[in-house]
Amino acid sequence: MVFEVGGKLLKEYDNDGYQRVFNQAFTDFPKDVGFNNSLSAPQPDFVEGLQMREYRPFPVGRQVSGAVLYKDDPNSLALPYVAGEWKGRGKDMEEARVQSAYDGSALVYARNQTLSYVRKPDPAGHAEVMTFTTDGTNINFFAHYAALTEDGALEYHQYPITSTNLKNSHQEFKEGRRQLRNAQDDARERSYQLKDQLKENWKAKKSQLAPLPPIEDEDGYEVIEQQPTYQPTPPISSKPNHGKVSSSRSSHSTVSSPPPAVDFASGSGHKRKIPSP
C-alpha cells in the first residue's frame, strides 16, 4: 500500500544524503522520556530526512538525544521533519491519526533537544514538524508542537491543518499531491537549515576551545590564560508521569492560540497500537 500510493504522490529527490525509510522502528530513540513511557518505539510507515553522516563533523548521535533514529546504522536518518501513516481502504483512520501523533511527538522531542543544545528554543506552541495520514482516498495533514502545562509538564500536541479527498476528481488528486510534495519540500528545507545551524554552532564551540598561542610579557615571561570550558545545556525533558500525546481537541485548550496553519497548497515489523489519549 505504501509503495502503491507513495509512487503516485511522493516527490523524489536526487540528493543521496536526503533519504526516505518505510516502516522501520526508531530503534535508537530513548525510552521513557514522558510521552512514550512503557510504549514500543515509533514506527511510521514513511519518514524522510537527512542521513546522520550529513551532519559531520558534528557528532549528532552523541550530542542530541533522540536525533538518530536507527541504532548501529551508519546510514540512519537524523532529525527528520516529516512522517506519514498509510492505512488500507476501509481501515481505521483514527488509529492512523493516533499513530501519527506518536510519530510527530518523537520528531518534536528530538527537535526540542537540538534547540536546547544550541540554546535557541522555539516559542511556545511553535510548530515545525509535520505528519500526514492517508488511506488512498483521503489525505490529512497535521502540525506538531510541544507546550508546557500550568504545572510545568511538557505535553505534545497534534494540530489538523487540512484534508483532501484524492478521488473526488482529478483536480483534487493533483491538489492533494501538491500539498504532500510541498510538505516534503518544507521539511527538507528545515532539515538543511538545522544541519547548517548545528555545524556552525559546533565549529564556533571548537574554535573557542582551541588553545591560544603563548604571549610573553614585557619581562619575557610567558602568560598563560585560562581557557573557557563548554558545559552542555541540560536537555529538555517532560515529566515522566505527565507527558502525553495530545489530540487536536486538547491543543486548543492548552495553548492560548493555535499555531498558524501551514499553507501547503500555495507554497519492518509489527506496530504496537498507541492508545488514544
Side-chain angles (χ1 to χ4, degrees), residues 148-218:
L148 291 173
T149 62
E150 292 182 357
D151 63 356
L154 191 64
E155 286 187 352
Y156 294 81
H157 299 268
Q158 178 188 54
Y159 185 78
I161 299 173
T162 189
S163 297
T164 299
N165 189 301
L166 300 171
K167 293 191 173 181
N168 272 347
S169 66
H170 183 59
Q171 181 60 37
E172 287 189 68
F173 172 82
K174 291 195 298 182
E175 180 68 12
R177 180 177 62 186
R178 182 171 60 161
Q179 290 167 347
L180 177 56
R181 293 184 176 188
N182 285 347
Q184 287 181 266
D185 285 343
D186 186 73
R188 184 173 182 268
E189 180 180 356
R190 295 178 193 276
S191 291
Y192 277 98
Q193 288 174 347
L194 186 60
K195 179 205 69 170
D196 292 343
Q197 183 179 4
L198 284 170
K199 293 175 76 169
E200 290 171 5
N201 181 272
W202 181 253
K203 181 179 179 180
K205 288 175 179 176
K206 296 296 285 185
S207 65
Q208 290 174 4
L209 294 174
L212 296 175
I215 302 174
E216 293 186 354
D217 63 11
E218 295 179 354

Side-chain angles (χ1 to χ4, degrees), residues 1-71:
M1 181 66 182
V2 173
F3 297 99
E4 178 184 351
V5 177
K8 299 177 182 178
L9 296 175
L10 293 168
K11 184 174 183 177
E12 300 283 345
Y13 296 103
D14 295 331
N15 190 331
D16 290 339
Y18 193 80
Q19 297 292 322
R20 63 187 55 167
V21 174
F22 295 101
N23 196 26
Q24 187 170 332
F26 293 178
T27 53
D28 206 26
F29 196 83
K31 299 180 183 295
D32 299 331
V33 295
F35 73 91
N36 67 339
N37 290 355
S38 302
L39 296 175
S40 56
Q43 185 175 333
D45 289 323
F46 164 87
V47 65
E48 190 170 57
L50 285 167
Q51 294 178 318
M52 67 176 183
R53 66 169 180 258
E54 296 297 311
Y55 292 86
R56 293 183 298 194
F58 176 65
V60 63
R62 295 202 306 268
Q63 295 294 329
V64 181
S65 173
V68 175
L69 303 187
Y70 312 121
K71 190 174 183 178

